Amino acid sequence: MACASLLPAARAQTVWKLATGYRAESFHGENLQQFAADAAAGPGGLRIELHPNNSLFKLNEIAPAVRAGKLEAGETIMASLVKDMPVAGADAVPFIVRSYADARRMWRHQRPVIEAKFAAAGLKVLYAVAWPPQGLYTQKPIARAADLRGGRMRTYNRTTERIAELMGASAVDVPMVEVGKALADGRIDSMITSAVTGVENRVWDHVRHYYEINAWFPKNIVFAGETAFKALPAPAQRSLMNAAEAAEARGWAASERAAVTSVDELRRRGLKVEPIPPDLLTDVKRLGERFSLEWVREVGADANYIFVPYFTQQ
Ligand code: PCA
């Protein structure tokens, strides 16, 4: 009896490792720190040790490592999971989600599908937070997609690779934390990412134009291994899920704020910030349609569970 009553206290000392491919100082990173603090402060007090910046596992290795039980939890960009989970690419289909309101609605419809896929893979979804809208950075001014032909566009997953390909640029894979260096080394001359990522990598010395094309709103997803989660005592599970719910709400608000302040910062640093030129808009809409068709073909019926309610409901 004495032993059994000691058990919960002993288990409360559990320490989890959580790996991410992004920096601790980013808004996602700050949110993660608060999430870890909340999880530790709640009843059952789970300690989560954060390993940012690809330091423990590289971005693309994080989900497989959590599945294999090499660590308890991780954060990755959802669309990077498309190889094993095609439906995870829904939020990176270009020109479907055009605002934060759209992005929130998309997540609402996507969440049950994603949770089921994660569960089937032995993973538990904790929370997801959108990146600010994806804009186009270029060295030279551009008017249409053809102006990107022959250039070297930085990509960060299969979806962005396909977009570069459709635009006629060659895709150069560069992790988020190496973008500044890749630009400085002349390995890339354009990229589609958020204003916040441009600021974090101080891109102003290398690119001159930022087009607010709002192409898509990718999300980071924070998850745990189902086995690790189930091994937690009930109070720790509840504290973790409460912390996750708070992190999701806080993270989306932080993302929306960062979207505004980072565009201001790009402007202040001398980038020419412009809306999407009309010819480019026509081109990218066409590419968006083509991409959506390819995506639905690849994903099959699961695509309906997300896109049908997304297009037909609030
Ligand atoms: N920044 C990350 C993903 C999306 C974004 O805005 C990156 O560029 O890798």
Side-chain angles (χ1 to χ4, degrees):
M1 276 308 280
C3 258
S5 68
L6 276 176
L7 202 55
R11 277 201 186 160
Q13 307 300 316
T14 308
V15 180
W16 274 18
K17 285 193 171 72
L18 188 156
T20 174
Y22 301 104
R23 293 189 180 102
E25 312 77 47
S26 68
F27 80 91
H28 284 297
E30 284 170 359
N31 199 35
L32 262 179
Q33 285 163 48
Q34 188 58 50
F35 162 68
D38 289 353
L46 169 67
R47 231 184 83 210
I48 304 177
E49 207 176 80
L50 302 177
H51 297 267
N53 219 4
N54 296 316
S55 59
L56 192 58
F57 290 98
K58 297 224 180 312
L59 191 66
N60 290 333
E61 297 164 358
I62 293 172
V66 174
R67 284 176 78 167
K70 293 183 186 156
L71 78 169
E72 291 78 13
E75 176 187 52
T76 193
I77 184 162
M78 211 184 296
S80 73
L81 302 171
V82 289
K83 205 164 135 264
D84 299 321
M85 224 185 269
V87 76
D91 56 348
V93 180
F95 300 99
I96 299 285
V97 166
R98 308 306 307 276
S99 66
Y100 273 97
D102 284 355
R104 287 175 190 274
R105 202 157 50 84
M106 169 70 96
W107 179 221
R108 213 171 54 241
H109 296 308
Q110 206 182 5
R111 186 170 199 144
V113 180
I114 290 293
E115 281 182 347
K117 296 285 170 198
F118 268 60
L123 298 173
K124 174 145 187 83
V125 173
L126 298 175
Y127 69 87
V129 169
W131 286 89
Q134 306 292 288
L136 173 66
Y137 292 84
T138 61
Q139 278 169 344
K140 296 196 197 92
I142 63 155
R144 54 189 64 79
D147 297 341
L148 294 163
R149 206 169 287 152
R152 291 179 307 273
M153 183 180 274
R154 178 254 168 171
T155 56
Y156 58 77
N157 55 31
R158 265 191 31 194
T159 331
T160 43
E161 255 169 48
R162 185 70 187 126
I163 290 164
E165 212 176 280
L166 289 173
M167 289 185 153
S170 38
V172 184
D173 180 57
V174 179
M176 138 77 185
V177 292
E178 289 166 26
V179 161
K181 190 167 182 318
L183 281 167
D185 295 348
R187 288 175 51 218
I188 52 176
D189 51 33
S190 73
M191 60 180 180
I192 302 181
T193 185
S194 57
V196 87
T197 292
V199 170
E200 213 181 300
N201 288 288
R202 308 180 66 83
V203 299
W204 34 82
D205 294 334
H206 314 289
V207 282
R208 308 251 44 92
H209 299 267
Y210 181 69
Y211 297 96
E212 294 186 288
I213 66 174
N214 287 1
W216 67 94
F217 288 61
K219 286 187 288 288
N220 274 5
I221 185 157
V222 178
F223 52 92
E226 193 74 55
T227 312
F229 182 79
K230 288 210 174 112
L232 292 176
Q237 286 185 354
R238 271 195 300 276
S239 297
L240 184 69
M241 294 317 286
N242 288 341
E245 200 182 323
E248 184 158 301
R250 189 177 54 238
W252 281 75
S255 177
E256 286 205 57
R257 280 196 304 275
V260 175
T261 54
S262 52
V263 169
D264 286 348
E265 175 76 359
L266 290 179
R267 211 178 266 122
R268 229 168 41 78
R269 298 286 188 165
L271 262 80
K272 193 147 190 256
V273 176
E274 287 169 86
I276 185 161
D279 287 348
L280 181 62
L281 180 63
T282 313
D283 291 343
V284 292
K285 277 204 167 142
R286 204 165 37 231
L287 292 181
E289 276 163 25
R290 179 147 168 214
F291 195 97
S292 307
L293 272 178
E294 284 183 8
W295 188 75
V296 170
R297 208 174 289 139
E298 193 178 323
V299 172
D302 278 340
N304 293 334
Y305 298 121
I306 302 175
F307 277 9
V308 172
Y310 176 78
F311 285 121
T312 57
Q313 297 168 21
Q314 272 315 292

mmCIF file of all heavy atoms in Angstrom, residues 77 131 134 154 156 176 193-194 197 218, ligand 1:
data_model
loop_
_atom_site.group_PDB
_atom_site.id
_atom_site.type_symbol
_atom_site.label_atom_id
_atom_site.label_comp_id
_atom_site.label_asym_id
_atom_site.label_seq_id
_atom_site.Cartn_x
_atom_site.Cartn_y
_atom_site.Cartn_z
ATOM 1 N N ILE A 77 6.563 20.852 -39.007
ATOM 2 C CA ILE A 77 5.609 21.550 -39.858
ATOM 3 C C ILE A 77 4.749 20.458 -40.495
ATOM 4 O O ILE A 77 5.280 19.490 -41.038
ATOM 5 C CB ILE A 77 6.320 22.497 -40.844
ATOM 6 C CG1 ILE A 77 5.330 23.300 -41.675
ATOM 7 C CG2 ILE A 77 7.296 21.757 -41.722
ATOM 8 C CD1 ILE A 77 5.957 24.541 -42.323
ATOM 9 N N TRP A 131 1.742 29.372 -39.202
ATOM 10 C CA TRP A 131 2.738 30.381 -39.535
ATOM 11 C C TRP A 131 2.005 31.549 -40.190
ATOM 12 O O TRP A 131 0.925 31.354 -40.759
ATOM 13 C CB TRP A 131 3.738 29.831 -40.547
ATOM 14 C CG TRP A 131 4.719 28.855 -40.001
ATOM 15 C CD1 TRP A 131 4.558 27.503 -39.921
ATOM 16 C CD2 TRP A 131 6.029 29.146 -39.487
ATOM 17 N NE1 TRP A 131 5.678 26.930 -39.381
ATOM 18 C CE2 TRP A 131 6.595 27.917 -39.114
ATOM 19 C CE3 TRP A 131 6.771 30.313 -39.311
ATOM 20 C CZ2 TRP A 131 7.883 27.824 -38.566
ATOM 21 C CZ3 TRP A 131 8.037 30.225 -38.770
ATOM 22 C CH2 TRP A 131 8.586 28.998 -38.394
ATOM 23 N N GLN A 134 2.331 32.986 -46.366
ATOM 24 C CA GLN A 134 3.545 32.789 -47.146
ATOM 25 C C GLN A 134 3.596 33.790 -48.300
ATOM 26 O O GLN A 134 2.700 33.829 -49.151
ATOM 27 C CB GLN A 134 3.577 31.348 -47.662
ATOM 28 C CG GLN A 134 3.411 30.316 -46.553
ATOM 29 C CD GLN A 134 4.590 30.268 -45.604
ATOM 30 O OE1 GLN A 134 5.663 29.796 -45.966
ATOM 31 N NE2 GLN A 134 4.417 30.766 -44.386
ATOM 32 N N ARG A 154 14.197 28.695 -53.010
ATOM 33 C CA ARG A 154 14.355 27.909 -51.782
ATOM 34 C C ARG A 154 13.037 27.190 -51.463
ATOM 35 O O ARG A 154 11.961 27.773 -51.562
ATOM 36 C CB ARG A 154 14.714 28.841 -50.622
ATOM 37 C CG ARG A 154 14.870 28.149 -49.273
ATOM 38 C CD ARG A 154 13.710 28.426 -48.354
ATOM 39 N NE ARG A 154 13.697 27.559 -47.189
ATOM 40 C CZ ARG A 154 12.891 27.713 -46.160
ATOM 41 N NH1 ARG A 154 12.049 28.714 -46.124
ATOM 42 N NH2 ARG A 154 12.896 26.854 -45.169
ATOM 43 N N TYR A 156 11.086 24.135 -48.716
ATOM 44 C CA TYR A 156 11.257 23.498 -47.404
ATOM 45 C C TYR A 156 10.505 22.197 -47.244
ATOM 46 O O TYR A 156 10.507 21.618 -46.164
ATOM 47 C CB TYR A 156 10.954 24.476 -46.264
ATOM 48 C CG TYR A 156 9.579 25.108 -46.243
ATOM 49 C CD1 TYR A 156 8.472 24.417 -45.815
ATOM 50 C CD2 TYR A 156 9.410 26.430 -46.650
ATOM 51 C CE1 TYR A 156 7.214 25.004 -45.790
ATOM 52 C CE2 TYR A 156 8.166 27.024 -46.630
ATOM 53 C CZ TYR A 156 7.075 26.315 -46.201
ATOM 54 O OH TYR A 156 5.834 26.901 -46.175
ATOM 55 N N MET A 176 14.954 26.078 -42.541
ATOM 56 C CA MET A 176 14.594 27.443 -42.133
ATOM 57 C C MET A 176 15.759 28.186 -41.450
ATOM 58 O O MET A 176 16.002 29.344 -41.721
ATOM 59 C CB MET A 176 13.354 27.334 -41.238
ATOM 60 C CG MET A 176 13.285 28.155 -40.028
ATOM 61 S SD MET A 176 12.880 29.853 -40.362
ATOM 62 C CE MET A 176 13.063 30.477 -38.728
ATOM 63 N N THR A 193 8.002 32.141 -48.253
ATOM 64 C CA THR A 193 7.910 31.870 -46.816
ATOM 65 C C THR A 193 7.279 33.087 -46.154
ATOM 66 O O THR A 193 6.887 34.041 -46.824
ATOM 67 C CB THR A 193 9.285 31.482 -46.218
ATOM 68 O OG1 THR A 193 9.107 31.118 -44.843
ATOM 69 C CG2 THR A 193 10.303 32.616 -46.282
ATOM 70 N N SER A 194 7.191 33.059 -44.836
ATOM 71 C CA SER A 194 6.519 34.164 -44.154
ATOM 72 C C SER A 194 7.447 35.358 -43.947
ATOM 73 O O SER A 194 8.679 35.239 -44.018
ATOM 74 C CB SER A 194 6.023 33.678 -42.791
ATOM 75 O OG SER A 194 7.105 33.187 -42.051
ATOM 76 N N THR A 197 9.799 34.687 -41.021
ATOM 77 C CA THR A 197 11.001 33.900 -41.333
ATOM 78 C C THR A 197 12.038 34.783 -42.039
ATOM 79 O O THR A 197 13.238 34.631 -41.813
ATOM 80 C CB THR A 197 10.609 32.658 -42.173
ATOM 81 O OG1 THR A 197 9.856 31.791 -41.314
ATOM 82 C CG2 THR A 197 11.803 31.921 -42.706
ATOM 83 N N PRO A 218 0.880 27.530 -43.587
ATOM 84 C CA PRO A 218 1.245 26.211 -43.054
ATOM 85 C C PRO A 218 1.165 26.219 -41.529
ATOM 86 O O PRO A 218 1.221 27.282 -40.912
ATOM 87 C CB PRO A 218 2.682 26.028 -43.523
ATOM 88 C CG PRO A 218 3.205 27.404 -43.736
ATOM 89 C CD PRO A 218 2.041 28.267 -44.105
HETATM 90 N N1 PCA B 1 8.689 29.532 -42.122
HETATM 91 C C1 PCA B 1 9.163 28.177 -42.182
HETATM 92 C C2 PCA B 1 7.971 27.378 -42.557
HETATM 93 C C3 PCA B 1 6.915 28.326 -42.951
HETATM 94 C C4 PCA B 1 7.438 29.651 -42.590
HETATM 95 O O1 PCA B 1 6.821 30.695 -42.640
HETATM 96 C C5 PCA B 1 10.230 28.020 -43.211
HETATM 97 O O2 PCA B 1 10.441 28.934 -44.004
HETATM 98 O O3 PCA B 1 10.848 26.967 -43.251
#
